[in-house]
Amino acid sequence: MAASTVESDLGNVDAPEAQVAIRSLSKSYGDLNVLVDVTIDVAKRDVLVLIGPSGSGKSTLLRCVARLEPFDAGQLWIEGHLVALGEKSKGDGAELATPNHQKRLRKEVGMVFQEFNLFPHFTALRNVALAPERVLGLDRDEAENRALVLLEKVGLAEKAHEHPARLSGGQQQRVAIARALAMQPKVMLFDEVTSALDPELVGEVLEVMRELARDGMTMLVVSHEMQFAADVADTVFFMDQGSIVETGSPDQIFHEPHEDRTKAFLQRLLAR
Amino acid sequence: MEFDLGPVVDRIPLLLEGLGLTLGLTALAFVAGGLLGLPLALSRMLPNRWLRLPVTMLVESTLSTPVPLHLFLVFFGMTAAFGIFISPFHSILLVLVWNQAVVMSENYRSGLQSVPKGIRAAASVLGLPTIDRYRYVILPLAIRAILPPTTSSTVNLIKDSALAGFIGANDLLNAGRLGATESFRPIEFYTVVAIMYFVISYPIVWFSDRVEHKMSRSRAA
Amino acid sequence: MIEFLGELVHYAPAFWRGLRFTLALTGIAMAIGVGGGLALAMLRRSRLRLARILATIYIEFFRTTPLIVQLVWIYFVLPIALDIELSAFQSGAITLGMNQAAYKSEIFRAGIAEVPLGQRRASQALGLGRIDTFRFVVLPQASAVILPLFMAHTMLLVKGTAYVSLLRVPELTHTANLISLDSFRFLEVYLAVGVIYFILIYPIGVLGRWIENKGSHKWRPLQ
């Protein structure tokens, strides 16, 4: 039921070719503009890193892409399908963003959170196997096998039968990554996934992310880890107060930022 | 001061009868109240403010007034104003059921709300449909949060059941009082009755401690 | 309806007396409760094993048995046991106080434990004496936990005074009984007294929840 042309207040729009297309996304809470006309095209296998001060809207943007939050205006396309439309947007594109449609396409996006959010009453294995079993319809054994393989991949196969409370922060986060990967998403979102970790545990998580990038996963990452961005990112976006201030390759942004705000932010960050 | 348990032993059947009533009242009120609490809790989580308001007012009034007053209101007030006679047993039962329902509705609400937003978000992003989200993630966690306050609510229920004597129903405390006045031995009777109340309440506390301990291995650190 | 209000006014002195008794019971019981609670909390941390056990038994007993049973027991048994005379009011107030003490002791334990040890060490390192540490560091943070619990106990206490009506102490509930018998306006009188209780108790609940909300934002651990 995919339309390749959609009528909306943005005029007749052709489905974008990018794997994830964020078009003119805007969102505000009363007077506060959280997101202002954000447009980003994410190509397959791209690794995008979003940096910026807190309150700049980076996390909100990710949550909008994950369809955890509605937005006021703009469009969200994933793999050529319009999956979400701003609530205030007109046009018959609105029917395409129906709940059923959303449900089907929710599996295309995986998300890992700053606070891990593992289900505390399940073992690591069940955390990873639950969604494939219930959503993708795998039977119990298939789901658990897939879960074991993924836990192996993130280096935690021997912890499969532990509960999250017995795992370190870094281990919990790696399980969270495995859990998201179990749904075989096309795009992975990472929301400051290392910010809540003790410094010595950050490395193991970044390593898993690096490997994912090497394997060709499309990734949208919000992070303060500059080294990681420099190593792995294809594009870096600097956001401030809800809009994208500057875009470029990691080299460009970190070493030769154009905008003053970008420079100021990087200075504060590197001074730490 | 001599402590003579003879008269107490003589009246054991009386005490046991009273105990039976107490336990029966408690069990009935626990079940009925627990069930009634569900629609109460759900109606307070409805989106429409005007639907929520009457229930909220009922709940707050109940929680801000003493149970003995509820009892007198029902037992005397209903008869006098509307000519409906409600027996002592039914009066105390009604009052206990209602109070338990109100208290449990608060427990249900806070238990449900205690499930962290992040965990709900994670379940949502994984694509779990609403039924599965509740069945596998939200409800199991909510129930773990509802259990501790439910224990104290149940112990309070047993305590308030002792109000039955106020209006003449023959519960454990009333049996003790009868025995005490007949035999002129208040100390022995009331002490024994107090111990009996302790004995029926304490297992509930101990049981809930055990359950909490068992569950704490699966709760987030 | 209106003539009823007129009748109520006729009973105003009785209502007022009932209110005074309820408040008196509450005040005395609270004082005993705080003092007793503090004493119990200290006993539970005592080095003497016997003291700890006795305190624990006391607390468990007063928290598990019905208030009415406690009221009746103290009213009948204590005078005989200690060979003194106790009026109904006195024994009611004492029972409520002892009951409150059991609950308050838990507050004292929980509240102080909430403030992380690290904060106390930090203030020691800064050179703050023990009193200052308590006053400026421990107390404000512990209060965020203690105050809402305190509010909850107070609500229970005021509701608890109604049980003392069993001993025929002329607080609000017993007064309601008396006035209804005199006027035969049972429903109206009980509703009126219910309103009075609501006015006393509901604001305490609201205050407690407000403090809880304010506190939970302020004292979240810094990251």
Side-chain angles (χ1 to χ4, degrees), chain C residues 43 46-56:
Chain C
L43 275 178
S46 149
R47 258 163 278 196
L48 272 177
R49 194 152 169 247
L50 185 65
R52 290 201 310 266
I53 295 180
L54 284 177
T56 309

Side-chain angles (χ1 to χ4, degrees), chain C residues 78-118:
Chain C
L78 211 60
I80 302 178
L82 298 180
D83 201 22
I84 51 175
E85 266 186 37
L86 273 181
S87 76
F89 176 82
Q90 285 166 338
S91 78
I94 292 174
T95 313
L96 283 174
M98 290 178 74
N99 187 283
Q100 280 287 302
Y103 286 97
K104 293 277 189 293
S105 76
E106 289 297 307
I107 295 191
F108 287 121
R109 280 204 326 154
I112 309 245
E114 279 287 310
V115 181
L117 194 58

Side-chain angles (χ1 to χ4, degrees), chain B residues 60 63-64 159-160 191 201, chain C residues 63 73 103 159 163 202:
Chain B
E60 292 296 338
L63 292 173
S64 304
K159 292 193 222 174
D160 277 333
T191 307
S201 303
Chain C
R63 283 175 49 166
W73 198 91
Y103 286 97
K159 287 196 272 183
Y163 294 74
Y202 182 68

Side-chain angles (χ1 to χ4, degrees), chain B residues 106-175:
Chain B
E106 292 289 275
N107 291 344
Y108 292 146
R109 272 197 334 139
S110 71
L112 204 59
Q113 284 168 353
S114 78
V115 179
K117 289 201 191 137
I119 301 224
R120 294 176 201 244
S124 185
V125 164
L126 284 171
L128 285 169
T130 310
I131 303 182
D132 284 350
R133 277 210 313 273
Y134 275 88
R135 189 175 153 203
Y136 290 100
V137 179
I138 300 180
L139 286 180
L141 291 176
I143 291 176
R144 282 161 171 76
I146 292 174
L147 222 51
T150 300
T151 331
S152 52
S153 306
T154 312
V155 173
N156 283 334
L157 183 57
I158 298 180
K159 292 193 222 174
D160 277 333
S161 75
L163 280 168
F166 267 60
I167 52 174
N170 211 3
D171 73 322
L172 179 59
L173 179 58
N174 210 34

Side-chain angles (χ1 to χ4, degrees), chain A residues 228-248:
Chain A
F228 173 80
D231 293 341
V232 174
D234 295 304
T235 319
V236 174
F237 286 74
F238 172 68
M239 279 182 77
D240 191 17
Q241 294 179 343
S243 37
I244 300 176
V245 173
E246 197 174 339
T247 312

Side-chain angles (χ1 to χ4, degrees), chain C residues 112-129:
Chain C
I112 309 245
E114 279 287 310
V115 181
L117 194 58
Q119 300 240 359
R120 280 177 266 181
R121 295 247 186 279
S123 46
Q124 274 173 356
L126 285 169
L128 287 171

Side-chain angles (χ1 to χ4, degrees), chain C:
Chain C
M1 227 331 162
I2 314 230
E3 357 96 47
F4 163 60
L5 289 175
E7 281 183 51
L8 266 191
V9 170
H10 173 229
Y11 288 106
F15 281 118
W16 176 236
R17 186 186 63 159
L19 182 62
R20 282 195 343 256
F21 269 89
T22 296
L23 292 174
L25 283 169
T26 306
I28 298 176
M30 205 183 313
I32 301 178
V34 173
L38 200 56
L40 278 171
M42 294 198 299
L43 275 178
R44 281 194 84 167
R45 298 180 63 192
S46 149
R47 258 163 278 196
L48 272 177
R49 194 152 169 247
L50 185 65
R52 290 201 310 266
I53 295 180
L54 284 177
T56 309
I57 293 181
Y58 177 100
I59 294 172
E60 287 303 320
F61 185 78
F62 271 95
R63 283 175 49 166
T64 333
T65 54
L67 180 60
I68 314 167
V69 174
Q70 296 164 15
L71 279 167
V72 164
W73 198 91
I74 292 188
Y75 180 63
F76 284 112
V77 177
L78 211 60
I80 302 178
L82 298 180
D83 201 22
I84 51 175
E85 266 186 37
L86 273 181
S87 76
F89 176 82
Q90 285 166 338
S91 78
I94 292 174
T95 313
L96 283 174
M98 290 178 74
N99 187 283
Q100 280 287 302
Y103 286 97
K104 293 277 189 293
S105 76
E106 289 297 307
I107 295 191
F108 287 121
R109 280 204 326 154
I112 309 245
E114 279 287 310
V115 181
L117 194 58
Q119 300 240 359
R120 280 177 266 181
R121 295 247 186 279
S123 46
Q124 274 173 356
L126 285 169
L128 287 171
R130 285 192 68 168
I131 297 185
D132 276 345
T133 307
F134 187 76
R135 200 174 139 204
F136 293 108
V137 177
V138 177
L139 196 61
Q141 296 191 55
S143 300
V145 175
I146 290 181
L147 281 176
L149 282 174
F150 197 90
M151 299 285 144
H153 290 181
T154 309
M155 288 172 76
L156 283 175
L157 175 55
V158 179
K159 287 196 272 183
T161 61
Y163 294 74
V164 183
S165 65
L166 176 64
L167 300 178
R168 283 180 270 265
V169 173
E171 44 66 65
L172 276 171
T173 304
H174 186 63
T175 303
N177 287 337
L178 293 173
I179 298 180
S180 331
L181 281 171
D182 195 56
S183 68
F184 286 100
R185 296 274 200 184
F186 292 88
L187 189 65
E188 295 90 330
V189 171
Y190 288 126
L191 284 177
V193 167
V195 169
I196 300 180
Y197 275 115
F198 186 85
I199 296 176
L200 287 175
I201 298 177
Y202 182 68
I204 305 179
V206 171
L207 188 62
R209 274 176 285 196
W210 181 78
I211 296 181
E212 227 179 339
N213 280 329
K214 276 204 75 181
S216 68
H217 293 314
K218 261 194 190 172
W219 308 121
R220 231 185 323 177
L222 304 163
Q223 276 180 325

